[in-house]
Amino acid sequence: MKTSTRIPAYKLAAQEIKRFIETNGLTVGQSLPPEPAMALQLGISRPSLREGIKALESVGVLQSRHGEGVYVASFSFDSIVDNLPYSMLADRVQLGQLLEVREALEVGMLGKLTECISEAEVATLRSLAETMMVKAQAQESFAEEDRQFHATMFACMHNPFLDRLVDLFWNVFQKMAHTLPKSSPSSGLQTARDHLEIVERIEQKNSTALTAAHMRHFSGIHQKLFAPTTQSH
């Protein structure tokens, strides 16, 4: 029996809408034509057009504004995180590969970081790392301080795309945190120590030592990622 390969109408509609955006050079914040005109121009039904718009909204291409219309959305990684396959979140091999990409990205930017980071930003990093240590000693979560730490590190580069990527990686790992072995108190303390050492190397403007400290931190994450799931603390 031959398997049908027919493409759903909403997917065809989404393809036509994207082609319309590209052909007409629409940019962020510009609106699509009203629904009747758009459906007529693309040669598709209005129900299919609506479904196509919904599909593109779900991946962050379009944004509907009540009473105003449909607009080309600004780029965001939020839809990527929200739509990550659950199989990936449960697959440590793929997660490990993602971690390697994150490590390469962050380590690769450290040389520039020591040249541009301000004293105020370094002070913020130290405050965050010290708070992490206090919370680790109290066996409390310091996830938010960790997120702010990595975001603050690269803020001086004024690269929104880099900022979004760093935040994307952090959010992905937070989303799958429940699949990892429970951290021991000593693991939390070591993570806090890693961040304190990173701050010290930044203060010294020693990019070589900073790189080594950053890589040790990622080595610890790799060890946690591939620790046996039966491990108990």
Side-chain angles (χ1 to χ4, degrees):
M1 180 176 177
K2 187 175 180 179
T3 303
S4 174
T5 58
R6 183 179 178 183
I7 300 175
Y10 79 92
K11 286 191 175 181
L12 289 172
Q15 291 173 1
E16 289 299 319
I17 295 168
K18 287 192 291 185
R19 189 175 294 114
F20 177 88
I21 292 171
E22 294 169 359
T23 302
N24 290 275
L26 297 185
T27 57
V28 173
Q30 291 187 306
S31 64
L32 299 184
E35 184 182 289
M38 186 78 173
L40 182 63
Q41 186 168 349
L42 297 183
I44 58 179
S45 69
R46 291 175 67 176
S48 293
L49 176 64
R50 293 189 200 109
E51 290 302 311
I53 288 172
K54 288 180 181 178
L56 293 177
E57 282 183 304
S58 72
V59 293
V61 175
L62 296 176
Q63 178 187 42
S64 292
R65 301 177 189 172
H66 184 66
E68 296 183 30
V70 180
Y71 295 80
V72 178
S74 60
F75 178 75
S76 171
F77 284 115
D78 292 345
S79 60
I80 298 176
V81 177
D82 292 339
N83 291 285
L84 276 174
Y86 286 101
S87 58
M88 178 181 179
L89 295 179
D91 186 339
R92 295 197 192 185
V93 173
Q94 290 188 22
L95 215 49
Q97 293 168 345
L98 187 64
L99 182 60
E100 288 178 353
V101 175
R102 175 187 171 185
E103 180 178 0
L105 175 69
E106 292 197 17
V107 170
M109 304 299 286
L110 293 178
K112 293 183 179 179
L113 181 149
T114 56
E115 298 173 1
C116 72
I117 195 164
S118 68
E119 291 183 5
E121 287 167 330
V122 175
T124 298
L125 290 177
R126 176 159 289 283
S127 176
L128 288 167
E130 289 174 349
T131 300
M132 291 169 70
M133 177 57 74
V134 170
K135 289 192 172 185
Q137 291 170 337
Q139 298 185 30
E140 297 176 2
S141 169
F142 48 77
E144 180 56 25
E145 287 79 11
D146 187 22
R147 185 193 68 79
Q148 291 181 31
F149 187 97
H150 287 270
T152 302
M153 275 187 69
F154 301 101
C156 68
M157 296 183 187
H158 304 293
N159 185 329
F161 193 81
L162 173 62
D163 294 340
R164 290 169 184 165
L165 274 174
V166 170
D167 204 50
L168 167 69
F169 288 132
W170 190 90
N171 282 322
V172 168
F173 279 87
Q174 283 303 303
K175 190 169 184 176
M176 50 63 62
H178 67 282
T179 69
L180 297 179
K182 183 177 175 61
S183 298
S184 65
S186 61
S187 174
L189 287 169
Q190 185 56 55
T191 298
R193 291 191 196 100
D194 288 346
H195 286 75
L196 283 169
E197 183 183 4
I198 289 171
V199 175
E200 290 171 2
R201 301 313 180 196
I202 292 174
E203 289 171 338
Q204 296 167 357
K205 296 190 179 297
N206 187 332
S207 58
T208 300
L210 173 59
T211 298
H214 214 66
M215 292 180 71
R216 279 193 294 274
H217 172 51
F218 275 102
S219 177
I221 300 176
H222 276 286
Q223 290 175 12
K224 178 180 176 181
L225 180 61
F226 292 103
T229 55
T230 56
Q231 183 176 332
S232 61
H233 303 290

